[in-house]
Amino acid sequence: MEKFIVNGGCRLAGEIEISGAKNAAVAILPAVVLSDGLCRIENLPNIADVSASLEILSMLGAQVRRINKNAVEIDPRPLNTTVVPHDLARRMRASSYYIGSLLGRFGTARVSMPGGCNFGVRPIDQHLKGFTALGAEVSPMEQGMIEVTTEKLIGNSIYLDAVSVGATVNIMLAAVKARGTTVIENAAKEPHIVDLANFLNTMGADVRGAGTDVIKIRGVDQLTGATYSIIPDQIEAGTFMVAAAATGGDITVRNVIPKHLESITAKLMEMGVQVDEYDDAVRVTRTEPIHHCNVKTMPHPGFPTDMQPQIAVLLSMADGTSILTETVWDNRFRYVEELRRMGAQVQVDGKVAVFQGISRLTAAPIKATDLRAGMAMIIAGLVAKGTTEIEEIYHIERGYEDVEKKFTALGADIRRVTLPDGVLSSQAV
Ligand code: EPZ
């Protein structure tokens, strides 16, 4: 077991290079299953969710060769099974994308129900509705497995009842080699949807409209191999932007697409933070107190739910009352209890949290309740008075590359402690 020890009070300054996008990577790796040639994926973040997806590809029979920390070559032609077992599927949410890609390639897939962060109920009914509309039969099986099978996938029109990233990805994957045209209406518009479409099209697919709420996929018989570089991670970039603002710092966040950050930039500016945009970088500086502000999460291009815990740290230090409304997930405020332990004044009622800003948080033993909340806890530790210990940091490794290295390079006082086997974490320093 490991934990982070964070000494508060540092002002973060300097430059940071953003890694490839986790949520694009975990859609693009399953998409490789559909290829009829060798694929090289670059700017791949070196994170646990990517390792889990590469393990699934290997287990399915693909030849996976690491070129370096951030590039991999995958030959999916030798694939010889269509089953993703529980011990691999439970490690990440995006294991469900192997249903779409295996179905698209072989007409059958058997995948265990996916894992991932716990935000309450995380249904996949819209994914299954899409597969059914394309002509597949969905059968729940024992031990949480789902089998999806068809003789032939045939394009169809599908209206999503919820704007779902996962369902949009899964239906795109299944439809790429289907006969005829598939239309996804009320599709998700996130940057990772566009990146997946670009990768599929690089392999010879015919996907149009990604980034709008209507995506049209004309089925093709074959896909070639491809070399593809993943987009920068919008949420990692936003997280370091918030870290700059929280610590009264000055950080230039490099290798970003500023357009993807607009909703985050707009809220930071509303809070009195200075954000300067360049072609592929943003510079974030704060010299004034943080103004209170209301934030509501929305599907893209709205304020991302995956930035909700990080912005909460800023609201807990703002100069008045702020309201934070979550509209995407039922239960994404589990971390609030941890912030309260640090002195934050927050009341949660359902999907709404009301913050009464305080001048400074105080260190406390806390835990990462999920991936993004874990990063928020690091930011809270950086601004708090005293030494904060953060447990359950394995959540953070799922989605952020070189966490302590990147923070340390900006001047943060953060270190990782490995607890010896059998030692209770509360006994260790
Ligand atoms: C993706 O999850 C992301 N994960 C999440 O990021 C992100 O929070 C979420 O999209 C929203 O942006 C990946 O891309 C791997 P959804 P996903 O399907 O696809 C409802 C992170 O921190 N819904 O867009 O699982 C659902 O209950 C992670 O990186 C249905 O009702 O989310 C939710 O309310 C955490 N039926 C809403 O739609 C369905 O079949 C959005 O879910 C599917 C979803």
Side-chain angles (χ1 to χ4, degrees), residues 93 119 121-123 297 305-306 326-332 351:
R93 189 75 195 158
F119 311 135
V121 184
R122 293 187 73 174
T297 67
T305 172
D306 294 346
E326 171 62 41
T327 73
V328 178
W329 296 111
D330 285 339
N331 184 6
R332 204 171 189 169
K351 292 182 167 189

Side-chain angles (χ1 to χ4, degrees), residues 22-24 26 49 93-94 97 117 119 121-128 162-167 188 190 192 235 298-299 305-306 327-330 332 351 370-372 398:
K22 169 184 90 92
N23 288 344
V26 298
D49 274 15
R93 189 75 195 158
Y97 296 162
C117 292
F119 311 135
V121 184
R122 293 187 73 174
I124 60 165
D125 58 300
Q126 298 302 304
H127 306 223
L128 303 182
V163 181
S164 162
V165 169
E190 270 66 7
H192 26 289
I235 305 300
M298 305 277 270
T305 172
D306 294 346
T327 73
V328 178
W329 296 111
D330 285 339
R332 204 171 189 169
K351 292 182 167 189
D370 62 59
L371 165 63
R372 307 301 174 188
R398 285 193 32 230

Side-chain angles (χ1 to χ4, degrees), residues 128-147:
L128 303 182
K129 170 177 157 175
F131 300 143
T132 308
L134 296 177
E137 194 173 318
V138 175
S139 321
M141 304 182 70
E142 284 178 3
Q143 309 286 334
M145 297 287 281
I146 291 187
E147 186 175 64

Side-chain angles (χ1 to χ4, degrees), residues 89-414:
R90 75 184 169 85
R91 283 169 55 188
M92 60 163 185
R93 189 75 195 158
S95 52
S96 71
Y97 296 162
Y98 283 94
I99 307 179
S101 62
L102 288 168
L103 184 65
R105 172 158 168 191
F106 296 107
T108 183
R110 199 187 288 182
V111 177
S112 182
M113 282 297 281
C117 292
N118 178 4
F119 311 135
V121 184
R122 293 187 73 174
I124 60 165
D125 58 300
Q126 298 302 304
H127 306 223
L128 303 182
K129 170 177 157 175
F131 300 143
T132 308
L134 296 177
E137 194 173 318
V138 175
S139 321
M141 304 182 70
E142 284 178 3
Q143 309 286 334
M145 297 287 281
I146 291 187
E147 186 175 64
V148 185
T149 315
T150 182
E151 283 295 307
K152 180 77 198 147
L153 290 166
I154 298 177
N156 201 348
S157 283
I158 299 144
Y159 182 90
L160 296 181
D161 301 328
V163 181
S164 162
V165 169
T168 305
V169 167
N170 239 335
I171 297 167
M172 283 165 75
L173 294 173
V176 158
K177 286 183 159 180
R179 193 190 308 150
T181 300
T182 298
V183 181
I184 310 173
E185 291 185 78
N186 202 24
K189 301 188 281 253
E190 270 66 7
H192 26 289
I193 301 285
V194 179
D195 210 33
L196 171 64
N198 288 341
F199 173 59
L200 291 169
N201 288 341
T202 305
M203 294 194 294
D206 186 349
V207 181
R208 296 172 196 208
T212 77
D213 55 10
V214 181
I215 300 179
K216 289 191 180 150
I217 305 142
R218 200 170 57 82
V220 296
D221 291 335
Q222 265 214 320
L223 295 178
T224 61
T227 294
Y228 192 78
S229 182
I230 290 174
I231 51 165
D233 196 302
Q234 172 204 29
I235 305 300
E236 188 196 15
T239 303
F240 280 100
M241 290 168 77
V242 168
T247 61
D250 179 353
I251 301 180
T252 299
V253 185
R254 297 202 174 279
N255 185 33
V256 300
I257 299 173
K259 177 87 188 148
H260 293 169
L261 303 173
E262 274 174 352
S263 62
I264 302 163
T265 299
K267 279 295 154 190
L268 289 178
M269 290 175 75
E270 208 177 314
M271 296 167 104
V273 178
Q274 190 178 330
V275 183
D276 299 305
E277 279 184 16
Y278 304 94
D279 284 350
D280 62 354
V282 287
R283 180 177 174 190
V284 181
T285 38
R286 180 173 72 83
T287 49
E288 303 291 316
I290 301 166
H291 304 323
H292 64 275
C293 171
N294 296 337
V295 181
K296 190 186 261 193
T297 67
M298 305 277 270
H300 192 77
F303 188 88
T305 172
D306 294 346
M307 283 299 301
Q308 189 248 88
Q310 301 90 313
I311 207 87
V313 177
L314 285 182
L315 300 182
S316 69
M317 304 158 55
D319 66 357
T321 306
S322 304
I323 299 173
L324 178 57
T325 308
E326 171 62 41
T327 73
V328 178
W329 296 111
D330 285 339
N331 184 6
R332 204 171 189 169
F333 284 128
R334 288 165 66 234
Y335 67 87
V336 162
E337 201 47 49
E338 309 303 307
L339 278 185
R340 282 206 194 105
R341 290 160 70 86
M342 302 180 80
Q345 304 281 312
V346 198
Q347 298 301 324
V348 177
D349 185 4
K351 292 182 167 189
V352 179
V354 180
F355 292 76
Q356 196 62 52
I358 58 167
S359 57
R360 192 160 180 198
L361 296 170
T362 310
I366 51 174
K367 64 179 185 209
T369 52
D370 62 59
L371 165 63
R372 307 301 174 188
M375 275 306 248
M377 292 309 113
I378 294 180
I379 298 171
L382 289 172
V383 295
K385 185 166 183 296
T387 303
T388 297
E389 299 189 10
I390 308 170
E391 294 184 358
E392 302 188 20
I393 60 172
Y394 56 87
H395 287 293
I396 303 173
E397 333 261 72
R398 285 193 32 230
Y400 289 89
E401 180 170 339
D402 293 337
V403 182
E404 68 265 47
K405 201 167 138 198
K406 287 188 177 182
F407 273 118
T408 305
L410 293 168
D413 185 348
I414 176 171

